[in-house]
């Protein structure tokens, strides 16, 4: 289960990180020396690494059972944390289980238990009750974005899980929200609290854009031209609004991804992949994208529909201006639309130019082989350089999954590239390569 165990310095070197930020350093000290830690820190500040490093440092390589359990509110966050652990290359096995994923896949993964298990409360509770998960060696429990898990209705499952974890001696709770009430069933008695929510390291500029028409679509197009070629999220309250915006952007030839709870898990995952690798610079999303998903630094966000509560506004805005950088949140309202009380003292801007947004020249390709076929990112890069004859700057982000891979390319002739690399062997597997639609 655990081979070639890496030190913290080796892990940081592999991640390309010179040193931990102050929040991560304080978290490491607290988690290693306290049985209960509550970590409050904004989205995008590195909370995942903050709790993973001290957790991994305490794992026992001779125990071939689950030693740390991480509960998360969404599939996306489970996948993200699993990805981070793999990227760390610690030598310890990690798996993610969640609703919408095949139960038979879970059984295969859990047949050889990981040292770290990540999952949504519903799926974890089900596996514990079925006896698929052995809880007797779980010493560390991490409740990541615990308030969100409660908010989306996982309270009963969380109670069920905590009642069964009789050997846990370390609990870590994280949130990006201030003044969160901790339910009694979590059994938190004397926690060490770390609050980084009040420590401003970013600057978010808010600007108001008023549409003269009830339909804000034409104004949205002008706004996208105005903000230029950065990465951004258009936030909506309703899934129907996402469809309307998507249809409109498609009619204008503007590339984008859509993200909501209505989509199948695979479609949600692929939408984020194309957004991360800059195939699509725009993500049209519900508040599901406000936190707990792995997406790159945002240059801007647009509130196409206004949030109902101030905390929703904070989480949306938290997607831009992260990690000591600046960002802009645009509030788009129709002429007769009332702003909520929590939005005030905001500068209104006029958009007079009609610049057209330039689409990205990156394309995402799907490869029909992955980690289980012993394929590495280096194998994929080698194939594209040698057989595809592309330059280094034309190869973008490679994301390796268990049974497939995705790679972004900026190639002037994608058709010829695919002809050159399709049906070639990667390790022992002949792979099919196609454009991800």
């Amino acid at each position: 289960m655990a081979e070639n165990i890496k030190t913290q310095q080796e892990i940081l070197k592999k991640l390309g990180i010179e040193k931990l930020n102050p929040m991560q350093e304080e978290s490491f000290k607290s988690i290693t020396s306290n049985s209960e830690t509550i970590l409050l820190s904004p989205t995008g500040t590195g909370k995942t690494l903050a709790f993973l490093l001290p957790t991994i440092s305490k794992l026992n390589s001779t125990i071939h059972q689950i030693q740390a359990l991480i509960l998360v509110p969404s599939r996306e966050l489970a996948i993200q944390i699993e990805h981070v652990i793999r990227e760390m290359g610690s030598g310890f096995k990690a798996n993610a289980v969640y609703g919408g994923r095949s139960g038979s896949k879970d059984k295969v993964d859990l047949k050889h238990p990981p040292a770290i298990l990540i999952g949504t409360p519903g799926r974890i509770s089900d596996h514990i009750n079925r006896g698929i998960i052995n809880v007797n060696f779980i010493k560390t429990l991490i409740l990541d974005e615990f308030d969100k898990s409660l908010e989306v209705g996982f309270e009963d499952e969380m109670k069920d899980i905590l009642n069964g974890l009789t050997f846990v001696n370390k609990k870590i709770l994280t949130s990006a929200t201030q003044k969160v009430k901790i339910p009694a069933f979590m059994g938190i008695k004397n926690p060490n609290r770390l609050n980084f929510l009040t420590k401003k390291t970013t600057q978010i500029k808010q600007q108001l854009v008023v549409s003269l028409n009830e339909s804000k679509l034409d104004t949205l197009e002008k706004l996208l031209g105005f903000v230029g070629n950065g990465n951004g999220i258009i936030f909506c309250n309703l899934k129907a609004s996402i469809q309307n915006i998507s249809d409109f952007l498609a009619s204008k030839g503007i590339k984008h991804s859509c993200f909501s709870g209505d989509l199948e898990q695979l479609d949600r995952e692929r939408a984020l992949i194309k957004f991360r690798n800059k195939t699509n610079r725009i993500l049209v999303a519900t508040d599901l994208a406000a936190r707990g998903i792995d997406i790159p630094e945002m240059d801007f966000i647009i509130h196409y529909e206004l949030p109902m509560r101030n905390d929703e506004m904070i989480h949306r805005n938290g997607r831009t201006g992260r990690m000591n950088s600046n960002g802009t949140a645009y509030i788009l309202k129709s002429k007769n639309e009332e702003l909520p009380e929590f939005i005030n003292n905001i500068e209104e801007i006029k958009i007079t130019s009609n610049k057209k947004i330039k689409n990205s020249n990156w394309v995402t390709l799907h490869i029909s082989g992955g980690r289980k076929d012993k394929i590495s990112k280096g194998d994929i890069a080698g194939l594209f350089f040698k057989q595809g004859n592309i330059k280094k700057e034309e190869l973008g982000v490679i994301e390796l999954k268990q049974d497939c891979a995705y790679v972004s390319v900026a190639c002037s002739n994608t058709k010829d590239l695919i002809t050159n690399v399709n049906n070639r062997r990667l390790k022992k597997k002949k792979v099919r390569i196609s454009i991800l639609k």
Side-chain angles (χ1 to χ4, degrees), residues 244-383:
N244 288 339
I245 294 171
S246 180
D247 291 344
F248 175 79
L249 295 179
S251 73
K252 300 292 182 178
I254 300 172
K255 290 168 67 175
H256 62 283
S257 292
C258 294
F259 185 80
S260 76
D262 242 13
L263 296 172
E264 293 292 330
Q265 177 60 28
L266 182 60
D267 293 329
R268 281 158 61 172
E269 193 173 334
R270 288 179 169 182
L272 294 181
I273 286 167
K274 291 169 81 172
F275 189 54
R276 280 196 290 264
N277 67 26
K278 294 185 170 57
T279 293
N280 294 337
R281 293 195 185 108
I282 297 168
L283 185 70
V284 188
T286 59
D287 282 336
L288 191 62
R291 56 176 169 154
I293 60 172
D294 182 20
I295 52 178
E297 180 68 43
M298 297 294 101
D299 300 291
F300 65 90
I301 61 126
I302 297 172
H303 301 279
Y304 183 82
E305 290 177 324
L306 302 178
M308 307 298 287
R309 304 195 312 266
N310 188 36
D311 63 326
E312 292 171 351
M313 184 90 172
I314 291 168
H315 289 307
R316 287 183 181 187
N317 287 353
R319 277 295 168 192
T320 187
R322 298 165 69 185
M323 292 297 283
N324 302 311
S325 65
N326 298 327
T328 306
Y330 296 97
I331 294 165
L332 182 54
K333 83 171 196 77
S334 58
K335 188 178 179 181
N336 299 318
E337 194 173 3
E338 293 288 329
L339 288 177
E341 288 182 4
F342 54 80
I343 301 176
N344 48 51
N345 299 322
I346 183 168
E347 173 196 4
E348 183 178 344
I349 60 168
K350 305 284 185 187
I351 299 170
T352 53
S353 66
N354 277 315
K355 284 185 188 173
K356 296 294 181 186
I357 189 169
K358 287 183 181 178
N359 283 323
S360 156
N361 65 337
W362 292 96
V363 174
T364 301
L365 303 182
H366 175 266
I367 301 174
S368 65
R371 201 178 289 111
K372 69 176 175 57
D373 304 299
K374 311 296 183 187
I375 293 170
S376 70
K377 291 183 181 180
D379 296 328
I380 294 169
L383 174 67

Side-chain angles (χ1 to χ4, degrees), residues 273 276-278 362 377 395-399 406-409:
I273 286 167
R276 280 196 290 264
N277 67 26
K278 294 185 170 57
W362 292 96
K377 291 183 181 180
L395 183 68
V397 177
I398 299 171
E399 290 205 26
Y406 301 93
V407 56
S408 60
V409 293

